[in-house]
Amino acid sequence: MQQARSKPNAVLLVLMLVGVVAWLTLPAISVAPNRIVPGTPQRAQEALGWGVALLATVPMLGVATLAWRPFTWHLRAALVLVVGLLAAMPLWLSGVAATLEAASRLGLGSALWLLLFLWLLALIELRARLALSRPLGWALLLPVLLAWWVCLMQWLAPLALYREYQVRSDQFVGAIGQHLALVGSAVGAALLLGVCLALAMRRRAGVRRVGFGILNFLQTIPSIALFGLLLAPLAWLASRVEWLAALGVSGIGWAPAWLALLGYSLLPMVRNTFVALEEVDPAVIEAARGMGMSQRQVFLQVRLPLALPVVLEGIRITTVQAIGLTAVAALIGAGGLGTFIFQGLGQAAMDLVLLGALPIIALALMVDALLSALADWLRQGGTT
Amino acid sequence: MIELFDVTKRFGEEVAVDAISLRVQKGELCVLVGTSGCGKSTTLRMINRLIEHSDGEIHLDGQPVRTFDEVTLRRRIGYVIQNTGLFPHWTVARNIGLVPRLLKWPRAQVRERVETLMALLGLPIEEFAAKYPHQLSGGQAQRVGVARALAADPEILLMDEPFGALDPITREALQHELLDLQARLHKTIVFVTHDMDEALALADRLVVMRQGRIVQQGPPLELLHEPVDDFVASMLGGDARGLKEAALTRVRDRMLPLGPRLLAHERVAVDVPLNQALSLMLWHRVDRLTVVDDDDIPIGELSLRRLVGSKA
Ligand SMILES: Nc1ncnc2c1ncn2[C@@H]1O[C@H](COP(=O)(O)OP(=O)(O)OP(=O)(O)O)[C@@H](O)[C@H]1O
Ligand SMILES: [Mg+2]
């Protein structure tokens, strides 16, 4: 057992060595006297001195050393170190913040972003090697999030990202709400419509050909173009139909965004539902019919439950895709987190862009994790 | 009783089953054999109306199958297929209880029936009831398939290559179990197989099909001795038919009582088929065997002359 595992874990080794090099050579932070002036980049050793900078490389080298002989307990120790590293980053930043003047703004430099990325990859690798369960994997992030939260509350006021948030905390919550509402309603409608379409396609080859043709075509239109295409007809509709206008439908805003999202969501939804239903083992269906189940019973008790994990996979893909697309929809005034991204781009304020982008990534990851877990749970019924 | 009168099935232009007539008596085990694509499965599936026949009539106990509601009809007919078709998301117990539940039996009665069947097919309840199909071996899964087909105690059982995917030893064990079951339950069975040894071992009536037609039907020995043409002869084993026939006769039927002669040294059990006895003679290079009973006590003798001698 130990013999078999004693080959060095190359993934961890590379991640950590790249991390050390990045930490010592790339700018770790940038400091600006105010919001408009671009910050001056600083490397780690310039910010808090060589001592601290070198000290920070110790855990990374430690993980690399442990990864050289990856026994189970070595990997466990490495896991603790990586979680520690992730939790220590806000503390180090707090130390930097303490040296700054009150009005200055602290931005994260490329080294820190890269390190965050590398350490999270290391965490994923360790989770897989140690075969930790999904909930345990998430629990590992708790101390990290706690550390960030405490530091933000206490010492990290100069962090530019946090400043941007503070100025707009109400807007921020509203934007998340809008974002989720758009995604949720569009994906929900796509699910309903998609299932109906998939069922109709199973019935008739004609519907299948035409349906997939249209959906595939929709998918190839770039999202911006689709928003543009929807502008004129919706504006026309709103001017003709009063209650639609009263609902807030117009050429721009949530209505075209919602329609476009629906359009893009339909293809993955229909395709997955259709394939899921079609690919149920024909022998199982034959047996179900042969045993004397009615068509309805075959569908509800056999075909549908066996297709469900794949349908769920479709919902997952669609939702993650819609979360990203909704960001673009901010361009036509649909609201949501994309608003910050485009405002930030307009003002050349990168931190504002991040304020929009980071939650979008987090949302996508969360939805992905939740729906994967649900699919796993469904599969436990023995369908594997 | 199942009766087919000039039954034809066309898929578009193609004639899959061509005007076949067949009668399977109650309690009879009828085996369909034939080359691949000759219409065996189609014939079977027309009986439970998974496929509707194009022409002719199919009767169950004198009633045309078309007069039954197809769902009701299928619940009265057990159906076993090669890949078991067990529901992967249901436990073994739930799979077996399917038809009784469809028939709305009371819950306690369903449970009791499932337990009876699992016992009947040698599936210990504690071990198997809660398992899922993917946790079973091929042989176990096939037993569950048979149990499921028998669950509502149907008079008729349709089996489409049920043991086709199993290794020879498991297959033979299940064949014996099927014969045991049949001796107790007296179902009317139509059984499709590719394996001629299996067909000969099981059949009361053997039906040889070719290109949608029945070439010959009758008791296995009759077909062995008097094949109507070369096709049937080669289906039944060609020059190996002698051994196939020997496999159908037991030592018991050919042995002589113990005579005054010395006991032969090599022994053979009274219940084994003649082909095994012949094999023993070939193996030991002898022409005489002592026949022993289950307790290894000599009760007769079998000579090569007797073995090859008069026809049964
Ligand atoms: N649903 C169907 N549609 C069209 N043709 C079919 C259909 N089912 C069967 N056939 C055709 O009918 C013929 C008989 O098929 P069947 O499945 O009854 O053969 P079989 O004797 O069971 O063969 P095998 O031993 O390979 O299982 C074949 O030529 C097959 O292609
Ligand atoms: Mg077949």
Side-chain angles (χ1 to χ4, degrees):
Chain A
M1 192 83 179
Q2 298 229 319
Q3 275 301 319
R5 289 207 188 160
S6 58
K7 244 176 67 183
N9 182 320
V11 177
L12 285 177
L13 268 173
V14 170
L15 286 177
M16 289 304 130
L17 295 180
V18 171
V20 170
V21 173
W23 170 248
L24 293 177
T25 55
L26 296 176
I29 52 165
S30 70
V31 179
N34 57 49
R35 181 158 185 256
I36 309 302
V37 180
T40 23
Q42 293 187 1
R43 276 182 286 183
Q45 54 272 31
E46 293 158 358
L48 276 189
W50 272 104
V52 181
L54 285 180
L55 188 65
T57 63
V58 172
M60 279 193 273
L61 293 174
V63 172
T65 317
L66 288 168
W68 191 256
R69 292 255 171 274
F71 309 131
T72 306
W73 69 269
H74 276 183
L75 291 182
R76 291 218 178 105
L79 188 67
V80 172
L81 283 176
V82 171
V83 171
L85 279 168
L86 280 164
M89 187 185 285
L91 292 170
W92 182 82
L93 276 172
S94 303
V96 176
T99 66
L100 298 179
E101 289 166 30
S104 39
R105 298 165 71 93
L106 176 62
L108 299 192
S110 48
L112 288 195
W113 288 118
L114 189 60
L115 282 180
L116 268 179
F117 180 66
L118 295 173
W119 292 346
L120 283 173
L121 282 185
L123 203 62
I124 292 171
E125 166 72 9
L126 283 167
R127 198 193 76 116
R129 291 278 159 227
L130 288 168
L132 300 183
S133 68
R134 233 180 250 278
L136 197 60
W138 288 104
L140 281 174
L141 284 180
L142 276 184
V144 177
L145 293 176
L146 195 72
W148 276 97
W149 187 72
V150 169
C151 291
L152 277 175
M153 291 298 125
Q154 297 291 330
W155 306 294
L156 279 182
L159 198 64
L161 190 59
Y162 188 56
R163 290 239 166 128
E164 296 292 347
Y165 164 73
Q166 273 185 323
V167 184
R168 305 177 171 74
S169 59
D170 289 345
Q171 250 182 310
F172 183 76
V173 173
I176 288 193
Q178 277 172 346
H179 209 100
L180 287 180
L182 261 177
V183 170
S185 60
V187 171
L191 178 62
L192 268 181
L193 216 76
V195 170
C196 294
L197 259 175
L199 290 182
M201 286 176 172
R202 279 173 41 77
R203 281 278 160 79
R204 284 171 199 277
V207 179
R208 177 155 67 236
R209 268 197 312 277
V210 176
F212 274 130
I214 294 178
L215 290 176
N216 276 320
F217 171 68
L218 266 184
Q219 207 74 9
T220 58
I221 309 177
S223 49
I224 301 275
L226 189 55
F227 293 139
L229 284 179
L230 286 168
L231 199 146
L234 278 172
W236 181 81
L237 256 184
S239 69
R240 293 295 155 103
V241 187
E242 251 172 51
W243 60 269
L244 276 180
L247 262 177
V249 173
S250 69
I252 55 168
W254 64 265
W258 189 84
L259 279 178
L261 276 181
L262 180 65
Y264 284 123
S265 303
L266 269 178
L267 178 67
M269 205 68 104
V270 172
R271 196 173 37 203
N272 267 56
T273 310
F274 181 80
V275 169
L277 291 172
E278 281 295 291
E279 288 200 336
V280 173
D281 182 0
V284 171
I285 300 299
E286 155 126 0
R289 291 181 54 215
M291 293 292 130
M293 289 179 112
S294 65
Q295 279 205 351
R296 203 187 147 79
Q297 285 167 329
V298 172
F299 186 80
L300 289 180
Q301 296 184 37
V302 183
R303 202 184 276 281
L304 193 60
L306 287 178
L308 213 52
V310 184
V311 175
L312 213 65
E313 179 72 14
I315 300 181
R316 188 175 66 88
I317 295 171
T318 311
T319 314
V320 169
Q321 174 192 295
I323 289 174
L325 266 178
T326 304
V328 183
L331 265 188
I332 51 162
L337 289 163
T339 319
F340 299 137
I341 298 183
F342 292 112
Q343 272 179 16
L345 286 175
Q347 304 169 6
M350 271 332 274
D351 296 298
L352 188 51
V353 174
L354 286 176
L355 185 65
L358 289 181
I360 290 178
I361 296 173
L363 276 181
L365 287 177
M366 260 157 56
V367 165
D368 189 73
L370 263 177
L371 290 178
S372 306
L374 191 61
D376 281 357
W377 179 76
L378 274 179
R379 281 210 175 88
Q380 293 200 330
T383 36
T384 35
Chain B
M1 183 169 66
I2 308 168
E3 289 162 301
L4 278 70
F5 303 103
D6 291 326
V7 172
T8 298
K9 176 63 198 180
R10 283 182 291 270
F11 291 109
E13 293 286 284
E14 191 193 341
V15 182
V17 172
D18 192 3
I20 63 171
S21 295
L22 175 68
R23 172 179 296 163
V24 187
Q25 300 290 351
K26 185 170 161 26
E28 199 175 21
L29 203 167
C30 170
V31 177
L32 305 185
V33 295
T35 43
S36 185
C38 69
K40 305 181 295 288
S41 300
T42 306
T43 305
L44 214 60
R45 300 168 79 209
M46 284 191 295
I47 296 174
N48 66 2
R49 288 184 65 193
L50 282 174
I51 296 178
E52 296 288 356
H53 50 282
S54 317
D55 270 319
E57 296 234 0
I58 300 178
H59 289 187
L60 296 188
D61 294 334
Q63 275 230 47
V65 284
R66 288 230 169 103
T67 60
F68 297 95
D69 169 55
E70 53 185 285
V71 168
T72 322
L73 174 80
R74 290 183 202 138
R75 289 176 190 173
R76 285 180 40 191
I77 300 179
Y79 187 45
V80 188
I81 54 179
Q82 173 167 358
N83 298 318
T84 76
L86 294 178
F87 299 170
H89 57 310
W90 285 9
T91 60
V92 165
R94 197 160 171 213
N95 265 292
I96 296 178
L98 170 64
V99 183
R101 270 200 315 278
L102 289 176
L103 292 169
K104 306 227 158 49
W105 289 15
R107 209 180 265 216
Q109 201 184 337
V110 174
R111 182 157 1 105
E112 198 181 321
R113 182 67 187 157
V114 168
E115 285 172 7
T116 314
L117 279 165
M118 290 186 69
L120 193 66
L121 283 145
L123 298 161
I125 290 158
E126 322 77 57
E127 192 183 341
F128 288 105
K131 279 201 171 159
Y132 285 94
H134 75 270
Q135 299 169 310
L136 303 177
S137 73
Q140 290 159 353
Q142 209 48 263
R143 275 169 224 256
V144 175
V146 174
R148 177 173 69 173
L150 289 172
D153 205 13
E155 291 223 332
I156 295 171
L157 212 51
L158 305 177
M159 308 179 87
D160 196 348
E161 301 185 38
F163 310 144
L166 303 177
D167 66 274
I169 293 175
T170 315
R171 189 186 312 170
E172 210 168 302
L174 281 174
Q175 287 163 9
H176 282 295
E177 284 177 41
L178 181 66
L179 284 176
D180 280 353
L181 279 177
Q182 177 63 352
R184 272 182 281 172
L185 306 175
H186 306 294
K187 303 289 181 195
T188 306
I189 303 177
V190 184
F191 189 108
V192 170
T193 181
H194 268 137
D195 176 349
M196 189 45 67
D197 292 319
E198 178 168 87
L200 290 169
L202 295 178
D204 296 320
R205 173 196 299 271
L206 190 57
V207 177
V208 181
M209 290 181 68
R210 182 190 195 180
Q211 291 172 354
R213 294 178 153 274
I214 291 178
V215 198
Q216 192 176 5
Q217 58 173 307
L221 280 176
E222 187 183 306
L223 266 70
L224 274 170
H225 294 153
E226 291 148 30
V228 290
D229 58 15
D230 290 346
F231 173 73
V232 176
S234 75
M235 274 301 292
L236 286 162
D239 289 340
R241 272 179 294 160
L243 286 173
K244 308 258 182 216
E245 184 203 350
L248 294 182
T249 318
R250 312 250 145 212
V251 168
R252 177 188 305 284
D253 304 324
R254 292 286 174 87
M255 72 176 190
L256 286 175
L258 284 174
R261 284 205 286 171
L262 276 177
L263 285 182
H265 187 258
E266 307 300 341
R267 304 175 156 208
V268 63
V270 65
D271 272 331
V272 302
L274 286 186
N275 60 341
Q276 269 188 42
L278 181 61
S279 169
L280 280 173
M281 289 180 186
L282 287 170
W283 183 252
H284 295 298
R285 307 248 178 323
V286 296
D287 60 3
R288 218 156 56 92
L289 294 169
T290 299
V291 180
V292 295
D293 65 8
D294 292 345
D295 300 321
D296 215 21
I297 295 172
I299 54 170
E301 69 167 18
L302 181 71
S303 63
L304 185 60
R305 182 184 297 256
R306 254 320 267 182
L307 195 154
V308 298
S310 61
K311 287 188 173 173

